[in-house]
Amino acid sequence: MSAKNLQRTATSTPPAARATIADVAREAGVSKATVSRFLNHRETLLTRDIATRVEVAIAALAYSPSPMAQALKRGRSRLIGLVVADVTNPFSVAVLRGAEKACQESGYLLMLFNLGNDSRRESEAIEALTAYQVEGLILNTLGRDAGAAAEAARHGKPVVLVDRRHHDMQADFVSLDNAGGVRLGVQHLVDAGYRELLFVSQPIKDVSSRMEREAAFRSFISDSAADVAGLQGSTFESREDDTYNLDEALRGLRQRAGGRLPGVLSSNAVVTLRVVAAMARLGWRFGVDVGLVGFDDTEWSPYIGPGLSTIAQPTDELGRVAAGCLIERLKGLDLPPRQILLSGRLLPRGSSQPEAAPVSTRQAS
Amino acid sequence: MSAKNLQRTATSTPPAARATIADVAREAGVSKATVSRFLNHRETLLTRDIATRVEVAIAALAYSPSPMAQALKRGRSRLIGLVVADVTNPFSVAVLRGAEKACQESGYLLMLFNLGNDSRRESEAIEALTAYQVEGLILNTLGRDAGAAAEAARHGKPVVLVDRRHHDMQADFVSLDNAGGVRLGVQHLVDAGYRELLFVSQPIKDVSSRMEREAAFRSFISDSAADVAGLQGSTFESREDDTYNLDEALRGLRQRAGGRLPGVLSSNAVVTLRVVAAMARLGWRFGVDVGLVGFDDTEWSPYIGPGLSTIAQPTDELGRVAAGCLIERLKGLDLPPRQILLSGRLLPRGSSQPEAAPVSTRQAS
DNA sequence: TTGTAAGCGTTATCAA
DNA sequence: TTGATAACGCTTACAA
């Protein structure tokens, strides 16, 4: 037993260093190369006797290889970089969660970089992450500064985009089927009798998912105009803290509706909350005064007013699939860029029922 | 200009390798050591002439040092490990956000490991993270399997605990002032006239923050019994999906209250949501039928019923302070373990007003 | 002030 | 089948 080993088993608290491959080699009386072979090619190439000696030594020293050193040597780090535009966004968190899980299951660790909604830092993030030799990147970002991600892809690092497309980037893309989700929501509003519809989103800028949802909304309205008498639609972009214009937009909506029922489709949970706040300010009731269906189901959706109808995204699934795509690529899958669109699920609740239901019939998800 | 450099500037897409210190040395016509000195000791030790040559070469090759190699050599990785019991928990996310920000500001990157509420994987997490040479750990975990974290600390890696104490662990601890928060909440309920109080929490097990809050609740009640006529308190542990017992607990509360006002103090956002669901099932109104103050302010708190009164935790601050503590230690600060308790803030809303207020007087945070 | 060389913990290429 | 030995990209004695 080596001195190091004694230290390790002793109950005193000297800052015991991790055992290295050299320690194991010494302990087992073999060369470092042999230990390395045991680790990487286990069954093949090794005498039974030697193998067990190494095995014992490894156990005795509680040795585990240094991923850092491995990364340096192999170029592979077992690290995956995740860049999110905003960790505060519940959607991002859910993706994060799914991705982290999938990574763990495949033995990868996640390095996280949060942009805090400052899209200028995107290349900084990608830079930092690639410096650490991450093997691939999952991006839930705007891709404003296209160079950075493209650069990573050019370095041969696979990239997966989640929810937000980058303009000119050839990469796997995982997202909700936005058009389908919109159809689900709008059709539901129409079926419930709402006719004057308003699509409310955050500023659309270059966020692909918002653009797609708005486009789908517009085309649904024009496609259905013939079949559904009196169906009208318009759109509104809500800015943070600009309560005035949102209130006005809702007032306008009701006015335009006239005798018809006014309904809102909100483009995500953040917007939904703003609409909720506006309704409270106006003293209006969901369903009765204005109908609502919103993207993103949250834990609190069932408990706001009569319950908020939502289009739930399979968020965990999105994260998991994104990580899965990446890991497939890392395993060598060589395919042209894929698009994977997952379907949303409509959860109808009181906010899309024109007649107020008694409180006790609220339905949870 | 070297061949490598040409590759880099060309617009074709060969998987251009990152420039290394050797490339820079060659380009500048100096030794690797000189380049390294320029990087680490810039001002001192270098001739003006050589320094600029190196500087130019670095710029030309867009060189940046490999943190992996640096880590291997120095033992320091500029990496901080964060282990959270559950990324789904909004509190954890908020801490995550604050911590990530502080880390970024100090040039550290965060490696994330989510336990998904499986506390048995805690040592696995710490193991994985320390293998990557993280310089320190931020733990928002139960610390059931005490060995792992203690091991890390013994390896000389500073550890900061957030929100949850580990039983026998000597480490910096950052948390809400739970006792103060409870006093804030209970005093508010008492002032509003509620007399029969119930503290509802998730199963307490070994979660220190829950234990502390319950203890504070109990002692507040017994301390105030003399001054406040008819003040009574009890506690209830709510299990997931066990709606029956929660409903019963609330019914019991109202029954015990008799002519007095019944009030609930819920121990975190998760529990608050369960209480909200129970109230909906029972068809009771917040404030009027049962008063409520809950730990954790959320974006949706103002919009549930008459608005939920909450005790807001300075979550971002907690994360930032935790990371700050760690970074101080990494810079060499040598102090005995500290406890840093931050105060909560009471946000009174309709749920703690015995008389129902008109909808329009809801106050947002 | 600069260069040479050893070494951090691995893996891979060669001989043996 | 096993063992030296040379990298991987960097830092740091030690020499010059």
Side-chain angles (χ1 to χ4, degrees), chain A residues 31 33-34 37 45-47 50 72-73:
Chain A
S31 74
T34 301
R37 274 184 208 109
L45 303 175
L46 274 225
T47 314
I50 296 256
L72 191 59
K73 185 63 195 169

Side-chain angles (χ1 to χ4, degrees), chain A residues 163-165 173 175-180 182 199 204 206-219 295 339 341:
Chain A
D163 187 61
R164 300 175 177 192
R165 271 178 232 273
F173 174 64
S175 157
L176 179 72
D177 170 10
N178 286 307
V182 167
F199 175 80
I204 298 215
D206 308 317
V207 184
S208 68
S209 49
R210 292 179 197 162
M211 291 171 35
E212 290 176 13
R213 289 174 194 178
E214 191 193 58
F217 175 80
R218 290 206 144 105
S219 65
F295 272 89
Q339 284 194 29
L341 302 184

